Amino acid sequence: MDELEDTVGKLSLNAKEWRPGLGFSSNSEPSRQVSAGSMTSAGSSGGWNAVGGEEDRSNSQSSWGDSSQAIDVNGTHYFSTALQAEQQQQQQQSTVPNQNPHRHRLPRSTLRNSLSLPSEEYHYYRELSLYSETEMNPDDNRHKAVPPSFCRAFCLEPDTSSSSHSIRSSFGYPAILFRVTSTSDGNLYALRRIDSAMKCVNHTICQSVMQQWLSNPGGLDKNQPGGGIGGAFDHPGVVRFYKCFLSQRAVFFLHHYHAGAVTLKERFFSNKDSRSGIPLPESFIWSCLTQLVSAILAVHNSDLAVRTLQLNHILCTQERCFGASASSSLYSIPKVRLRINCVGIVDVLEFEARKTLEELQREDMRALGCLLLSMTTGTEVSVSDVYRNNSLQQQIMILNQYLGFVRQNYSRDLHSLIEMLLNPNITPPPIRAVAANMAVRVFEEMDGLHSSIDGMHDALMGVYESGRALRLMLKLAFVNERPEFGIDQRWSESGDCYVLKLFRDFVFHQADGAGRPAMDLGHVISSLNKLDAADEEKIVLTSRDGKNVLVVSYADVAFCLEKAYQELCSNSVPHPVVQ
């Protein structure tokens, strides 16, 4: 510490401001000797502007010698004795790290509260990203089931048989589901292969169904890109359907891929789930119902039918709460995001059924009632369980058993809605009537959505800040201490690039009085933000040996960084693409 104070005491307060790329120009004013002959000024025009007085001239001959000279390196002048200049070129190790001049700071920043998501959410999204990168073993036979236009396939279903790559699906045909990467756009998709359906499916049927779902339904803008492969029916409550095609003597359906999603059946009705058989809280059911009604309303308004309103065809993803608990009631079930999956598949497989649109939409309303009945009773109930091969009296008896439980444990509004949807003596109401009757419940869902948006916004601000810092650090990493650049092997160690090297030490290599690293993220974030904004605030940059001192502004450093980075970009070569 004493040596450091002695070194700082020998520095002059007459340090001059440095301007990028301008160097020094002649001036009629006499040059001012700076403290121990270490630095001299050649005037204020295009050089350094004085920022201090001449208090320390009495010590100018004490320690650093009488003779001093200016070393001009690519337009930048460094002032030191001849002996020190020679030693500076030979000495490579760091001796005196930059010192932090700010003594009074805000509470210490960390990655958790400055440039990152909260810890739980960070690990959640990290796991989703890592899971999206997994692939099957190269020798897996199921690779042959994927068309050549897709790569990096990963089976989303268990391999139940070593001899067959397909398992029986709920659609009545052997099927298997993959997560694939398209070779045309590089995006992830969910690819479902259905075998043994070639007798009832042909190219004409596929084109007809694709025309229904991809021909600008719901008043969508045709000029707006649909994202990925073609434009498609786009609603936040429906998994987007992109394509249906025939290949390898099988039918393929391409849908959007949602990482980490599970079906509603797996989430709440699986035998392995501890919540199996437990009715869900009413507030949670109303939240799910609001999301489903919104999706069904959009589909029906586009003159389409859902036809896949079953527990195993509704995707469920947990909403991230960013530190706040999202429990709905005593069961502490978090808020979930529902999306209706597999739209368009039944339209293709049962194309020859020739049912009217009104009949299909009424079936959707019956399926919605059975879905609500399953969630309220904790028992999986399907439309076929209630109506198929049962007389009217049997249907009423089955429904009364379930509705009696609903009447005792839930509100009258929910009971009346389920009874109205499932009553076999009357036609189920259209989706518009259901949406109108539950309008009050929508406001509760909107409040929850706004709270979630606020949390997302706060998290996005942290991620945005980290993105800005990353861009700056990448540019600094490209420029600093580059081994060579063209014919100038000292390009990164001289001129404007030398300022960037000193700035790197100023930001990341701070040390306390004892030489211990000062890990102050607040200083790093503040410096990078000011650099990004090209702030006019002045800072003092010193070399590691303490012999060179520059007074610059963040705007000067930003100019140097952009200039050096553009020089690299203009002389760079493209990375070879492996075919």
Side-chain angles (χ1 to χ4, degrees):
M1 186 66 184
D2 295 336
E3 295 178 358
L4 177 62
E5 292 178 354
D6 294 339
T7 303
V8 175
K10 296 171 184 176
L11 296 179
S12 172
L13 297 179
N14 295 330
K16 307 301 180 180
E17 182 180 356
W18 175 86
R19 295 293 182 180
L22 298 181
F24 288 85
S25 61
S26 61
N27 196 306
S28 59
E29 294 183 2
S31 61
R32 299 178 181 178
Q33 186 175 355
V34 183
S35 177
S38 62
M39 295 179 292
T40 59
S41 173
S44 60
S45 176
W48 296 7
N49 296 325
V51 295
E54 303 180 5
E55 294 84 353
D56 294 340
R57 291 188 180 180
S58 60
N59 297 327
S60 61
Q61 309 296 329
S62 59
S63 61
W64 285 4
D66 298 333
S67 61
S68 63
Q69 64 177 5
I71 303 175
D72 187 354
V73 183
N74 289 1
T76 302
H77 290 64
Y78 306 104
F79 295 86
S80 62
T81 63
L83 178 60
Q84 291 167 351
E86 182 179 357
Q87 293 176 349
Q88 182 178 351
Q89 296 178 359
Q90 298 176 355
Q91 186 178 9
Q92 301 296 331
Q93 66 273 19
S94 174
T95 57
V96 182
N98 278 352
Q99 304 301 317
N100 188 348
H102 303 283
R103 296 174 180 264
H104 303 286
R105 292 192 175 277
L106 296 175
R108 184 175 181 179
S109 299
T110 65
L111 287 176
R112 182 171 182 177
N113 60 21
S114 58
L115 293 182
S116 178
L117 294 171
S119 178
E120 181 181 353
E121 281 68 35
Y122 172 81
H123 290 291
Y124 172 77
Y125 289 112
R126 179 178 181 274
E127 291 297 328
L128 290 185
S129 178
L130 294 177
Y131 178 73
S132 299
E133 297 296 328
T134 55
E135 302 180 37
M136 295 187 297
N137 293 329
D139 56 350
D140 197 317
N141 292 328
R142 291 174 293 183
H143 279 291
K144 300 178 181 178
V146 180
S149 57
F150 301 95
C151 61
R152 301 181 61 185
F154 179 76
C155 185
L156 298 176
E157 295 175 344
D159 187 11
T160 57
S161 175
S162 58
S163 59
S164 176
H165 59 71
S166 299
I167 58 176
R168 182 69 59 176
S169 70
S170 59
F171 299 106
Y173 298 92
I176 189 169
L177 180 63
F178 295 97
R179 185 199 66 235
V180 295
T181 300
S182 173
T183 57
S184 60
D185 58 17
N187 293 331
L188 295 177
Y189 295 95
L191 179 68
R192 189 183 304 271
R193 173 184 175 131
I194 298 182
D195 296 304
S196 305
M198 296 297 295
K199 294 182 179 180
C200 60
V201 179
N202 53 44
H203 290 283
T204 303
I205 293 176
C206 293
Q207 292 297 325
S208 177
V209 174
M210 289 176 59
Q211 181 69 20
Q212 295 175 6
W213 285 95
L214 308 181
S215 60
N216 191 36
L220 298 178
D221 187 3
K222 293 182 179 180
N223 297 324
Q224 183 178 3
I229 303 178
F233 178 87
D234 188 12
H235 187 272
V238 179
V239 178
R240 182 179 296 184
F241 171 53
Y242 289 111
K243 192 176 182 181
C244 172
F245 60 96
L246 303 179
S247 179
Q248 301 177 352
R249 302 184 61 84
V251 186
F252 290 89
F253 296 90
L254 198 67
H255 290 81
H256 192 81
Y257 172 72
H258 294 276
V262 296
T263 64
L264 199 60
K265 180 178 180 180
E266 294 173 340
R267 180 65 177 84
F268 296 107
F269 296 88
S270 174
N271 293 330
K272 298 180 181 180
D273 194 352
S274 60
R275 301 184 188 277
S276 178
I278 300 178
L280 299 175
E282 183 168 348
S283 59
F284 178 83
I285 294 177
W286 281 113
S287 175
C288 295
L289 179 61
T290 303
Q291 299 178 55
L292 293 175
V293 169
S294 175
I296 298 172
L297 181 62
V299 174
H300 287 192
N301 286 342
S302 300
D303 295 332
L304 297 168
V306 179
R307 308 188 71 177
T308 55
L309 281 174
Q310 292 90 32
L311 293 173
N312 57 335
H313 292 152
I314 296 178
L315 294 186
C316 170
T317 55
Q318 181 173 328
E319 287 289 303
R320 305 311 300 165
C321 308
F322 298 93
S325 175
S327 58
S328 300
S329 109
L330 70 155
Y331 294 102
S332 298
I333 297 179
K335 182 177 176 61
V336 297
R337 183 79 162 76
L338 299 184
R339 296 178 178 88
I340 302 175
N341 193 23
C342 301
V343 294
I345 296 181
V346 181
D347 295 333
V348 172
L349 298 180
E350 300 181 4
F351 186 82
E352 301 296 337
R354 302 297 183 182
K355 293 183 179 180
T356 63
L357 179 62
E358 290 75 12
E359 292 176 337
L360 297 178
Q361 292 182 351
R362 285 198 296 267
E363 291 180 358
D364 285 345
M365 302 311 297
R366 296 289 192 195
L368 178 62
C370 290
L371 191 64
L372 292 175
L373 199 61
S374 301
M375 300 177 70
T376 52
T377 60
T379 304
E380 185 177 1
V381 181
S382 64
V383 176
S384 59
D385 295 336
V386 178
Y387 300 99
R388 182 172 298 177
N389 299 327
N390 291 327
S391 62
L392 179 60
Q393 184 177 3
Q394 291 175 332
Q395 296 174 10
I396 296 176
M397 182 177 63
I398 294 174
L399 290 175
N400 287 336
Q401 295 177 356
Y402 292 111
L403 292 175
F405 179 85
V406 177
R407 187 186 303 109
Q408 295 177 0
N409 296 276
Y410 294 93
S411 65
R412 180 180 300 178
D413 293 340
L414 186 57
H415 173 267
S416 300
L417 176 60
I418 298 176
E419 184 178 20
M420 184 171 52
L421 290 173
L422 297 179
N423 192 342
N425 293 319
I426 61 175
T427 301
I431 191 62
R432 284 182 172 272
V434 175
N437 289 334
M438 57 178 298
V440 177
R441 304 286 182 176
V442 176
F443 291 100
E444 300 177 2
E445 185 68 13
M446 288 181 59
D447 294 339
L449 291 176
H450 290 159
S451 299
S452 178
I453 291 174
D454 291 340
M456 292 276 189
H457 182 268
D458 294 338
L460 182 61
M461 288 296 295
V463 176
Y464 168 73
E465 292 295 333
S466 65
R468 290 201 307 159
L470 175 63
R471 285 192 294 270
L472 291 173
M473 288 190 291
L474 289 177
K475 289 183 178 181
L476 287 171
F478 275 120
V479 174
N480 281 331
E481 299 179 356
R482 197 171 189 87
E484 62 180 16
F485 178 62
I487 61 175
D488 187 0
Q489 298 185 0
R490 297 189 59 197
W491 176 81
S492 62
E493 299 293 333
S494 59
D496 296 344
C497 296
Y498 184 73
V499 178
L500 299 178
K501 178 180 178 180
L502 298 184
F503 180 78
R504 186 271 313 274
D505 291 343
F506 170 79
V507 175
F508 298 103
H509 297 168
Q510 294 280 342
D512 62 5
R516 294 171 298 186
M519 309 296 290
D520 188 356
L521 286 177
H523 167 70
V524 174
I525 295 168
S526 176
S527 300
L528 292 177
N529 284 336
K530 291 177 181 178
L531 176 63
D532 189 35
D535 196 350
E536 293 295 338
E537 179 184 343
K538 301 295 189 301
I539 56 176
V540 178
L541 303 180
T542 63
S543 61
R544 295 188 177 186
D545 56 10
K547 298 175 183 178
N548 295 315
V549 180
L550 297 178
V551 178
V552 299
S553 66
Y554 287 100
D556 296 334
V557 179
F559 174 82
C560 293
L561 179 60
E562 189 62 28
K563 178 182 176 182
Y565 183 72
Q566 291 301 329
E567 288 180 7
L568 288 178
C569 293
S570 61
N571 292 275
S572 63
V573 294
H575 191 277
V577 179
V578 179
Q579 299 292 341

